Amino acid sequence: MAAARWALALARGAAPVALGLLLWVAVAGGEQERLDTLKALPEANPEVLAQRRRHNELIMAALREAAETDENVARRPVPWRK
């Protein structure tokens, strides 16, 4: 009888561990695929990153100028430069 209780307790303790291990394996497999997908994105290209940085610099310059002036810069003609 003691052996049967011991086996039942062992099974009850091993079940959550086994379930956790299965879930971990399932998530880890998807994680590798996700990392491969992220490496293949065009944003990983240095040229695209440089273009994005330049674009952000231009936007920040326009916002800075708009904050420093009382003129409505949205009403200017499109090709505007100082």
Side-chain angles (χ1 to χ4, degrees):
M1 195 70 173
R5 272 197 259 164
W6 186 83
L8 183 61
L10 184 63
R12 284 183 180 167
V17 173
L19 179 64
L21 182 62
L22 287 173
L23 288 174
W24 181 76
V25 167
V27 170
E31 183 72 14
Q32 184 62 37
E33 183 178 326
R34 187 182 68 83
L35 290 175
D36 292 342
T37 304
L38 286 175
K39 287 179 184 177
L41 286 176
E43 287 84 12
N45 186 352
E47 296 168 358
V48 174
L49 289 175
Q51 288 175 354
R52 181 165 292 153
R53 279 191 201 99
R54 179 67 180 141
H55 183 257
N56 287 342
E57 288 171 4
L58 291 173
I59 290 174
M60 290 306 294
L63 290 173
R64 194 175 304 114
E65 182 182 356
E68 291 171 355
T69 184
D70 290 333
E71 180 186 355
N72 188 350
V73 295
R75 301 263 184 217
R76 286 186 183 170
V78 174
W80 58 275
R81 297 268 184 226
K82 278 190 171 182

